Amino acid sequence: MASLITTKAMMSHHHVLSSTRITTLYSDNSINDHQHIKTKPQIPVRLISQRISGVTRAVINLPAPLPEKETVEGERRCHVAWTSVQQEKWEGELTVQGKIPTWLNGTYLRNGPGLWNIGDHDFRHLFDGYSTLVKLQFDDGRIFSGHRLLESDAYKAAKKHKKLCYREFSETPKPTRNTFKNPFSGIGEIVRIFSGESLTDNANTGVVRLGDGRVMCLTETQKGSILVDHETLETIGKFEYDDGLSDHMIQSAHPIVTETEMWTLIPDLVKPGYRVVRMEAGSNKREVVGRVKCRAGSWGPGWVHSFAVTENYVVIPEMPLRYSVKNLLRAEPTPLYKFEWCPADGAFLHVMSKLTGEVVASVEVPAYVTFHFINAYEEDENGEGKATVIIADCCEHNADTRILDMLRLHTLRSSHGHDVLPDARIGRFRIPLDGRKYGKLETAVEAEKHGRAMDMCSINPLYLGLKYRYVYACGAKRPCNFPNALSKVDIVDKKVKNWHEHGIIPSEPFFVPRPGATHEDDGVVISIVSEENGGSFAILLDGSSFEEIARAKFPYGLPYGLHGCWIPKN
């Protein structure tokens, strides 16, 4: 099969496939350049005919190719979680061990970086990799799976030119020779950055199902909003916003999406602040509900990867980890990449009314660092039928910015097994609505119970913006350099249940509620797990007991992924 990209990062794959057969529907478009790797003995392939979903197609009884193992400084020890996928696409049925609940019918879709090199260039950071979608389609106890690289402009240009062509999280395209001779090239690059032209559309962060059924991949650039077909994983095209707000470069990577609407934040780098916008289901037009001015004066707005909502309010974080224009313009990454740490300028949380756009609270809180908010809700402390405080929970990294640099690929690949992961907790903000100037930041549950790691969280979506009890997230079993366990946290009783196996790195545990359930934790938790031995598998845990109910092994190793969504059947 024709080569698409020369891939230097090779996945390890030492596990032995069991005698249970895995059916491959198609396996195409290898990313490896076969002229640059040693050929292996050919295995005879037997084609048969099989009828699936009413369609007869050829079936190859052969798993995906097993790539070589990536090396780090000459040592063959890189975890498959940090290696690139070896094919642009794959699809097949997985063999299930255990029993899948009969009510679980639909598709779990996961997005994340899956290709970390292009031509001779190796990416430096986890967040730089090109988006790779993975699906688990549940159908009456069976699992049909597959992956496919997202056809963003950034990926297509890199594939065509064999080099980086857009600015990624920590990467900048190398200037051409003519650029060095042109004294105005710097001005041109500034224009390209602030127009968004040179920024990536590599939508490798999240994926959401909009209320009208469209499925969209996202990243922090507005141009990185891309529609996909969740069944075939094919790229449909850019999500074209029809509102005149796209002149702003960036957005929150994680919008809040329900069946009726989508909320998101648009940071303003010129006049530091945030626009709070809402879009109705079925529409491409966002409306500005209100604007928050940053409290820290002339500094850029705080990085806003995610935020929270309650029934009546939007909670807007203003972290002291702030966007930095001068760092955006640099060709080489700084220690904090596109940001600066400014704790002396204060950390804040703002609360805006969904109905009026009025800022009803703006409080200073202790310094914090968070990628992901978990949930928020209103509480009536006086019992008078009126909200007096907002509780907002997040995965908080103890105001330690080292977590950003710990996600460099070199660190992840070379420090496996070392206890170097910075501590994290469930940070609970208490935001008064009575005009007080200060809020509180507390630890919701003793962090030692989940291994002092906490990120990649999900809750029962039916409790979005409401008082809730359970958090599903990635925790840790120390020593580790990355979260290596799944944790169910009871924030009422302050209890934690952990699931762990030696050598694994699981992705975000995603909770799917059982239809008709009356208990918050009645459902299943889905995660895709990368193994130290080069393999990977999907795991299903019971949402209540947090015990394994089923797993399905992939015929090849999948790298680590980020966030997912659930798309119910029909």
Side-chain angles (χ1 to χ4, degrees), residues 154 164-169 171-173 188-202 221 223 249 328-329:
L164 190 73
C165 298
Y166 289 83
R167 285 176 172 258
E168 302 294 339
F169 179 80
E171 301 286 339
T172 302
E189 181 58 19
I190 292 173
V191 172
R192 286 190 291 273
I193 290 174
F194 282 93
S195 69
E197 179 185 346
S198 68
L199 299 181
T200 188
D201 66 339
N202 176 24
T221 63
K223 65 194 290 189
M249 300 184 298
L328 277 169
L329 296 174

PDB file of all heavy atoms in Angstrom, residues 154 164-169 171-173 188-202 221 223 249 328-329:
ATOM      1  N   ALA A 154      -3.839  21.556   8.391  1.00  0.00           N
ATOM      2  CA  ALA A 154      -2.484  21.407   8.913  1.00  0.00           C
ATOM      3  C   ALA A 154      -1.926  20.031   8.591  1.00  0.00           C
ATOM      4  O   ALA A 154      -0.765  19.891   8.169  1.00  0.00           O
ATOM      5  CB  ALA A 154      -2.481  21.645  10.420  1.00  0.00           C
ATOM      6  N   LEU A 164       6.375  20.633   8.729  1.00  0.00           N
ATOM      7  CA  LEU A 164       5.405  21.405   9.483  1.00  0.00           C
ATOM      8  C   LEU A 164       5.068  22.689   8.729  1.00  0.00           C
ATOM      9  O   LEU A 164       5.966  23.403   8.279  1.00  0.00           O
ATOM     10  CB  LEU A 164       5.997  21.749  10.853  1.00  0.00           C
ATOM     11  CG  LEU A 164       5.062  22.361  11.888  1.00  0.00           C
ATOM     12  CD1 LEU A 164       4.103  21.305  12.425  1.00  0.00           C
ATOM     13  CD2 LEU A 164       5.871  22.960  13.033  1.00  0.00           C
ATOM     14  N   CYS A 165       3.771  22.978   8.592  1.00  0.00           N
ATOM     15  CA  CYS A 165       3.349  24.146   7.806  1.00  0.00           C
ATOM     16  C   CYS A 165       2.542  25.162   8.620  1.00  0.00           C
ATOM     17  O   CYS A 165       2.341  26.284   8.149  1.00  0.00           O
ATOM     18  CB  CYS A 165       2.521  23.691   6.604  1.00  0.00           C
ATOM     19  SG  CYS A 165       3.420  22.626   5.446  1.00  0.00           S
ATOM     20  N   TYR A 166       2.072  24.780   9.803  1.00  0.00           N
ATOM     21  CA  TYR A 166       1.283  25.678  10.650  1.00  0.00           C
ATOM     22  C   TYR A 166       1.861  25.684  12.068  1.00  0.00           C
ATOM     23  O   TYR A 166       2.541  24.748  12.480  1.00  0.00           O
ATOM     24  CB  TYR A 166      -0.184  25.232  10.708  1.00  0.00           C
ATOM     25  CG  TYR A 166      -0.950  25.439   9.423  1.00  0.00           C
ATOM     26  CD1 TYR A 166      -0.882  24.508   8.385  1.00  0.00           C
ATOM     27  CD2 TYR A 166      -1.756  26.558   9.251  1.00  0.00           C
ATOM     28  CE1 TYR A 166      -1.594  24.698   7.208  1.00  0.00           C
ATOM     29  CE2 TYR A 166      -2.475  26.758   8.076  1.00  0.00           C
ATOM     30  CZ  TYR A 166      -2.387  25.818   7.061  1.00  0.00           C
ATOM     31  OH  TYR A 166      -3.095  26.014   5.903  1.00  0.00           O
ATOM     32  N   ARG A 167       1.553  26.734  12.815  1.00  0.00           N
ATOM     33  CA  ARG A 167       1.971  26.820  14.209  1.00  0.00           C
ATOM     34  C   ARG A 167       1.117  25.891  15.063  1.00  0.00           C
ATOM     35  O   ARG A 167      -0.096  26.064  15.149  1.00  0.00           O
ATOM     36  CB  ARG A 167       1.837  28.262  14.718  1.00  0.00           C
ATOM     37  CG  ARG A 167       2.919  29.208  14.223  1.00  0.00           C
ATOM     38  CD  ARG A 167       2.647  30.621  14.701  1.00  0.00           C
ATOM     39  NE  ARG A 167       3.776  31.488  14.392  1.00  0.00           N
ATOM     40  CZ  ARG A 167       4.700  31.872  15.281  1.00  0.00           C
ATOM     41  NH1 ARG A 167       4.593  31.464  16.534  1.00  0.00           N
ATOM     42  NH2 ARG A 167       5.698  32.652  14.930  1.00  0.00           N
ATOM     43  N   GLU A 168       1.776  24.923  15.721  1.00  0.00           N
ATOM     44  CA  GLU A 168       1.085  24.042  16.645  1.00  0.00           C
ATOM     45  C   GLU A 168       1.275  24.556  18.072  1.00  0.00           C
ATOM     46  O   GLU A 168       1.721  25.691  18.271  1.00  0.00           O
ATOM     47  CB  GLU A 168       1.608  22.615  16.478  1.00  0.00           C
ATOM     48  CG  GLU A 168       1.455  22.039  15.074  1.00  0.00           C
ATOM     49  CD  GLU A 168       0.004  21.848  14.660  1.00  0.00           C
ATOM     50  OE1 GLU A 168      -0.869  21.783  15.542  1.00  0.00           O
ATOM     51  OE2 GLU A 168      -0.271  21.771  13.447  1.00  0.00           O
ATOM     52  N   PHE A 169       0.973  23.741  19.071  1.00  0.00           N
ATOM     53  CA  PHE A 169       1.039  24.191  20.459  1.00  0.00           C
ATOM     54  C   PHE A 169       2.446  24.669  20.823  1.00  0.00           C
ATOM     55  O   PHE A 169       2.618  25.748  21.400  1.00  0.00           O
ATOM     56  CB  PHE A 169       0.611  23.063  21.396  1.00  0.00           C
ATOM     57  CG  PHE A 169       0.666  23.429  22.844  1.00  0.00           C
ATOM     58  CD1 PHE A 169      -0.356  24.172  23.426  1.00  0.00           C
ATOM     59  CD2 PHE A 169       1.743  23.049  23.633  1.00  0.00           C
ATOM     60  CE1 PHE A 169      -0.291  24.528  24.763  1.00  0.00           C
ATOM     61  CE2 PHE A 169       1.810  23.397  24.968  1.00  0.00           C
ATOM     62  CZ  PHE A 169       0.786  24.134  25.540  1.00  0.00           C
ATOM     63  N   GLU A 171       5.160  24.147  18.418  1.00  0.00           N
ATOM     64  CA  GLU A 171       5.956  24.073  17.198  1.00  0.00           C
ATOM     65  C   GLU A 171       5.686  25.258  16.274  1.00  0.00           C
ATOM     66  O   GLU A 171       4.545  25.713  16.149  1.00  0.00           O
ATOM     67  CB  GLU A 171       5.650  22.778  16.441  1.00  0.00           C
ATOM     68  CG  GLU A 171       5.927  21.519  17.252  1.00  0.00           C
ATOM     69  CD  GLU A 171       7.396  21.237  17.373  1.00  0.00           C
ATOM     70  OE1 GLU A 171       8.184  21.735  16.549  1.00  0.00           O
ATOM     71  OE2 GLU A 171       7.784  20.506  18.297  1.00  0.00           O
ATOM     72  N   THR A 172       6.735  25.710  15.615  1.00  0.00           N
ATOM     73  CA  THR A 172       6.631  26.777  14.635  1.00  0.00           C
ATOM     74  C   THR A 172       7.337  26.353  13.358  1.00  0.00           C
ATOM     75  O   THR A 172       8.464  25.840  13.428  1.00  0.00           O
ATOM     76  CB  THR A 172       7.290  28.070  15.161  1.00  0.00           C
ATOM     77  OG1 THR A 172       6.658  28.453  16.386  1.00  0.00           O
ATOM     78  CG2 THR A 172       7.151  29.201  14.163  1.00  0.00           C
ATOM     79  N   PRO A 173       6.727  26.526  12.193  1.00  0.00           N
ATOM     80  CA  PRO A 173       7.410  26.145  10.945  1.00  0.00           C
ATOM     81  C   PRO A 173       8.731  26.885  10.786  1.00  0.00           C
ATOM     82  O   PRO A 173       8.849  28.067  11.148  1.00  0.00           O
ATOM     83  CB  PRO A 173       6.404  26.553   9.859  1.00  0.00           C
ATOM     84  CG  PRO A 173       5.084  26.603  10.547  1.00  0.00           C
ATOM     85  CD  PRO A 173       5.372  27.037  11.947  1.00  0.00           C
ATOM     86  N   GLY A 188       5.033  40.602   8.617  1.00  0.00           N
ATOM     87  CA  GLY A 188       4.106  39.711   7.927  1.00  0.00           C
ATOM     88  C   GLY A 188       3.681  38.547   8.798  1.00  0.00           C
ATOM     89  O   GLY A 188       2.511  38.137   8.779  1.00  0.00           O
ATOM     90  N   GLU A 189       4.623  38.027   9.589  1.00  0.00           N
ATOM     91  CA  GLU A 189       4.291  36.914  10.462  1.00  0.00           C
ATOM     92  C   GLU A 189       3.345  37.347  11.574  1.00  0.00           C
ATOM     93  O   GLU A 189       2.437  36.603  11.957  1.00  0.00           O
ATOM     94  CB  GLU A 189       5.567  36.307  11.055  1.00  0.00           C
ATOM     95  CG  GLU A 189       5.340  35.118  11.971  1.00  0.00           C
ATOM     96  CD  GLU A 189       4.616  33.965  11.296  1.00  0.00           C
ATOM     97  OE1 GLU A 189       4.598  33.909  10.040  1.00  0.00           O
ATOM     98  OE2 GLU A 189       4.056  33.116  12.013  1.00  0.00           O
ATOM     99  N   ILE A 190       3.534  38.553  12.089  1.00  0.00           N
ATOM    100  CA  ILE A 190       2.608  39.075  13.105  1.00  0.00           C
ATOM    101  C   ILE A 190       1.194  39.154  12.535  1.00  0.00           C
ATOM    102  O   ILE A 190       0.222  38.768  13.187  1.00  0.00           O
ATOM    103  CB  ILE A 190       3.076  40.461  13.592  1.00  0.00           C
ATOM    104  CG1 ILE A 190       4.384  40.327  14.381  1.00  0.00           C
ATOM    105  CG2 ILE A 190       2.002  41.118  14.464  1.00  0.00           C
ATOM    106  CD1 ILE A 190       4.998  41.656  14.763  1.00  0.00           C
ATOM    107  N   VAL A 191       1.090  39.639  11.316  1.00  0.00           N
ATOM    108  CA  VAL A 191      -0.218  39.731  10.662  1.00  0.00           C
ATOM    109  C   VAL A 191      -0.819  38.347  10.495  1.00  0.00           C
ATOM    110  O   VAL A 191      -2.020  38.133  10.749  1.00  0.00           O
ATOM    111  CB  VAL A 191      -0.099  40.444   9.301  1.00  0.00           C
ATOM    112  CG1 VAL A 191      -1.426  40.365   8.540  1.00  0.00           C
ATOM    113  CG2 VAL A 191       0.327  41.891   9.489  1.00  0.00           C
ATOM    114  N   ARG A 192      -0.010  37.371  10.082  1.00  0.00           N
ATOM    115  CA  ARG A 192      -0.518  36.009   9.867  1.00  0.00           C
ATOM    116  C   ARG A 192      -0.973  35.368  11.179  1.00  0.00           C
ATOM    117  O   ARG A 192      -1.934  34.606  11.199  1.00  0.00           O
ATOM    118  CB  ARG A 192       0.546  35.153   9.190  1.00  0.00           C
ATOM    119  CG  ARG A 192       0.732  35.474   7.712  1.00  0.00           C
ATOM    120  CD  ARG A 192       1.610  34.439   7.030  1.00  0.00           C
ATOM    121  NE  ARG A 192       3.000  34.505   7.490  1.00  0.00           N
ATOM    122  CZ  ARG A 192       3.908  35.294   6.970  1.00  0.00           C
ATOM    123  NH1 ARG A 192       3.588  36.116   5.968  1.00  0.00           N
ATOM    124  NH2 ARG A 192       5.149  35.300   7.428  1.00  0.00           N
ATOM    125  N   ILE A 193      -0.274  35.696  12.279  1.00  0.00           N
ATOM    126  CA  ILE A 193      -0.676  35.140  13.562  1.00  0.00           C
ATOM    127  C   ILE A 193      -2.008  35.723  14.011  1.00  0.00           C
ATOM    128  O   ILE A 193      -2.950  35.005  14.353  1.00  0.00           O
ATOM    129  CB  ILE A 193       0.414  35.402  14.633  1.00  0.00           C
ATOM    130  CG1 ILE A 193       1.657  34.553  14.342  1.00  0.00           C
ATOM    131  CG2 ILE A 193      -0.120  35.091  16.028  1.00  0.00           C
ATOM    132  CD1 ILE A 193       2.809  34.856  15.265  1.00  0.00           C
ATOM    133  N   PHE A 194      -2.113  37.069  13.999  1.00  0.00           N
ATOM    134  CA  PHE A 194      -3.311  37.703  14.549  1.00  0.00           C
ATOM    135  C   PHE A 194      -4.503  37.624  13.596  1.00  0.00           C
ATOM    136  O   PHE A 194      -5.636  37.877  14.011  1.00  0.00           O
ATOM    137  CB  PHE A 194      -2.996  39.140  14.948  1.00  0.00           C
ATOM    138  CG  PHE A 194      -2.252  39.225  16.246  1.00  0.00           C
ATOM    139  CD1 PHE A 194      -0.867  39.256  16.267  1.00  0.00           C
ATOM    140  CD2 PHE A 194      -2.936  39.229  17.439  1.00  0.00           C
ATOM    141  CE1 PHE A 194      -0.180  39.314  17.463  1.00  0.00           C
ATOM    142  CE2 PHE A 194      -2.256  39.283  18.650  1.00  0.00           C
ATOM    143  CZ  PHE A 194      -0.872  39.326  18.661  1.00  0.00           C
ATOM    144  N   SER A 195      -4.269  37.277  12.363  1.00  0.00           N
ATOM    145  CA  SER A 195      -5.390  36.980  11.470  1.00  0.00           C
ATOM    146  C   SER A 195      -5.797  35.517  11.586  1.00  0.00           C
ATOM    147  O   SER A 195      -6.852  35.118  11.078  1.00  0.00           O
ATOM    148  CB  SER A 195      -5.003  37.289  10.020  1.00  0.00           C
ATOM    149  OG  SER A 195      -4.014  36.367   9.550  1.00  0.00           O
ATOM    150  N   GLY A 196      -4.948  34.723  12.239  1.00  0.00           N
ATOM    151  CA  GLY A 196      -5.209  33.297  12.371  1.00  0.00           C
ATOM    152  C   GLY A 196      -4.678  32.469  11.229  1.00  0.00           C
ATOM    153  O   GLY A 196      -4.751  31.235  11.269  1.00  0.00           O
ATOM    154  N   GLU A 197      -4.118  33.113  10.199  1.00  0.00           N
ATOM    155  CA  GLU A 197      -3.697  32.396   8.999  1.00  0.00           C
ATOM    156  C   GLU A 197      -2.633  31.344   9.289  1.00  0.00           C
ATOM    157  O   GLU A 197      -2.673  30.234   8.756  1.00  0.00           O
ATOM    158  CB  GLU A 197      -3.156  33.389   7.961  1.00  0.00           C
ATOM    159  CG  GLU A 197      -2.667  32.734   6.674  1.00  0.00           C
ATOM    160  CD  GLU A 197      -2.041  33.731   5.721  1.00  0.00           C
ATOM    161  OE1 GLU A 197      -2.212  34.945   5.935  1.00  0.00           O
ATOM    162  OE2 GLU A 197      -1.371  33.297   4.776  1.00  0.00           O
ATOM    163  N   SER A 198      -1.662  31.677  10.165  1.00  0.00           N
ATOM    164  CA  SER A 198      -0.560  30.746  10.404  1.00  0.00           C
ATOM    165  C   SER A 198      -0.838  29.784  11.556  1.00  0.00           C
ATOM    166  O   SER A 198      -0.036  28.887  11.813  1.00  0.00           O
ATOM    167  CB  SER A 198       0.728  31.525  10.698  1.00  0.00           C
ATOM    168  OG  SER A 198       0.627  32.208  11.940  1.00  0.00           O
ATOM    169  N   LEU A 199      -1.969  29.956  12.240  1.00  0.00           N
ATOM    170  CA  LEU A 199      -2.292  29.074  13.356  1.00  0.00           C
ATOM    171  C   LEU A 199      -2.894  27.772  12.854  1.00  0.00           C
ATOM    172  O   LEU A 199      -3.573  27.720  11.833  1.00  0.00           O
ATOM    173  CB  LEU A 199      -3.271  29.758  14.305  1.00  0.00           C
ATOM    174  CG  LEU A 199      -2.795  31.058  14.954  1.00  0.00           C
ATOM    175  CD1 LEU A 199      -3.868  31.600  15.879  1.00  0.00           C
ATOM    176  CD2 LEU A 199      -1.494  30.853  15.704  1.00  0.00           C
ATOM    177  N   THR A 200      -2.673  26.721  13.601  1.00  0.00           N
ATOM    178  CA  THR A 200      -3.143  25.405  13.199  1.00  0.00           C
ATOM    179  C   THR A 200      -4.660  25.275  13.290  1.00  0.00           C
ATOM    180  O   THR A 200      -5.308  25.962  14.081  1.00  0.00           O
ATOM    181  CB  THR A 200      -2.493  24.321  14.065  1.00  0.00           C
ATOM    182  OG1 THR A 200      -2.812  23.031  13.533  1.00  0.00           O
ATOM    183  CG2 THR A 200      -2.976  24.396  15.500  1.00  0.00           C
ATOM    184  N   ASP A 201      -5.199  24.378  12.488  1.00  0.00           N
ATOM    185  CA  ASP A 201      -6.588  23.951  12.639  1.00  0.00           C
ATOM    186  C   ASP A 201      -6.629  22.480  13.066  1.00  0.00           C
ATOM    187  O   ASP A 201      -7.640  21.807  12.914  1.00  0.00           O
ATOM    188  CB  ASP A 201      -7.378  24.151  11.340  1.00  0.00           C
ATOM    189  CG  ASP A 201      -6.882  23.255  10.213  1.00  0.00           C
ATOM    190  OD1 ASP A 201      -5.716  22.789  10.277  1.00  0.00           O
ATOM    191  OD2 ASP A 201      -7.647  23.011   9.251  1.00  0.00           O
ATOM    192  N   ASN A 202      -5.519  22.008  13.601  1.00  0.00           N
ATOM    193  CA  ASN A 202      -5.385  20.623  14.043  1.00  0.00           C
ATOM    194  C   ASN A 202      -6.278  20.381  15.255  1.00  0.00           C
ATOM    195  O   ASN A 202      -5.869  20.586  16.400  1.00  0.00           O
ATOM    196  CB  ASN A 202      -3.905  20.350  14.371  1.00  0.00           C
ATOM    197  CG  ASN A 202      -3.679  18.965  14.922  1.00  0.00           C
ATOM    198  OD1 ASN A 202      -4.454  18.043  14.692  1.00  0.00           O
ATOM    199  ND2 ASN A 202      -2.590  18.809  15.671  1.00  0.00           N
ATOM    200  N   THR A 221      -7.948  26.928  18.629  1.00  0.00           N
ATOM    201  CA  THR A 221      -8.113  27.908  17.557  1.00  0.00           C
ATOM    202  C   THR A 221      -9.521  27.783  16.995  1.00  0.00           C
ATOM    203  O   THR A 221     -10.035  26.681  16.846  1.00  0.00           O
ATOM    204  CB  THR A 221      -7.090  27.694  16.430  1.00  0.00           C
ATOM    205  OG1 THR A 221      -7.307  26.416  15.826  1.00  0.00           O
ATOM    206  CG2 THR A 221      -5.666  27.777  16.966  1.00  0.00           C
ATOM    207  N   LYS A 223     -10.492  28.289  14.010  1.00  0.00           N
ATOM    208  CA  LYS A 223     -10.492  27.595  12.719  1.00  0.00           C
ATOM    209  C   LYS A 223     -10.410  26.086  12.902  1.00  0.00           C
ATOM    210  O   LYS A 223     -10.725  25.335  11.983  1.00  0.00           O
ATOM    211  CB  LYS A 223      -9.334  28.105  11.859  1.00  0.00           C
ATOM    212  CG  LYS A 223      -7.969  27.778  12.429  1.00  0.00           C
ATOM    213  CD  LYS A 223      -6.852  28.563  11.760  1.00  0.00           C
ATOM    214  CE  LYS A 223      -6.598  28.125  10.341  1.00  0.00           C
ATOM    215  NZ  LYS A 223      -5.367  28.768   9.794  1.00  0.00           N
ATOM    216  N   MET A 249      -8.904  34.855  17.348  1.00  0.00           N
ATOM    217  CA  MET A 249      -8.134  33.670  16.994  1.00  0.00           C
ATOM    218  C   MET A 249      -8.532  32.433  17.780  1.00  0.00           C
ATOM    219  O   MET A 249      -8.553  31.333  17.249  1.00  0.00           O
ATOM    220  CB  MET A 249      -6.643  33.929  17.252  1.00  0.00           C
ATOM    221  CG  MET A 249      -6.053  35.070  16.468  1.00  0.00           C
ATOM    222  SD  MET A 249      -4.287  35.178  16.799  1.00  0.00           S
ATOM    223  CE  MET A 249      -4.293  35.512  18.567  1.00  0.00           C
ATOM    224  N   LEU A 328       3.806  34.161  21.975  1.00  0.00           N
ATOM    225  CA  LEU A 328       3.150  33.712  20.747  1.00  0.00           C
ATOM    226  C   LEU A 328       4.007  34.005  19.521  1.00  0.00           C
ATOM    227  O   LEU A 328       4.024  33.257  18.551  1.00  0.00           O
ATOM    228  CB  LEU A 328       1.787  34.391  20.586  1.00  0.00           C
ATOM    229  CG  LEU A 328       0.602  33.789  21.338  1.00  0.00           C
ATOM    230  CD1 LEU A 328      -0.585  34.739  21.277  1.00  0.00           C
ATOM    231  CD2 LEU A 328       0.216  32.436  20.756  1.00  0.00           C
ATOM    232  N   LEU A 329       4.752  35.124  19.567  1.00  0.00           N
ATOM    233  CA  LEU A 329       5.539  35.551  18.413  1.00  0.00           C
ATOM    234  C   LEU A 329       6.886  34.845  18.314  1.00  0.00           C
ATOM    235  O   LEU A 329       7.531  34.899  17.266  1.00  0.00           O
ATOM    236  CB  LEU A 329       5.764  37.068  18.479  1.00  0.00           C
ATOM    237  CG  LEU A 329       4.506  37.934  18.381  1.00  0.00           C
ATOM    238  CD1 LEU A 329       4.853  39.394  18.595  1.00  0.00           C
ATOM    239  CD2 LEU A 329       3.831  37.744  17.029  1.00  0.00           C
TER     240      LEU A 329
END
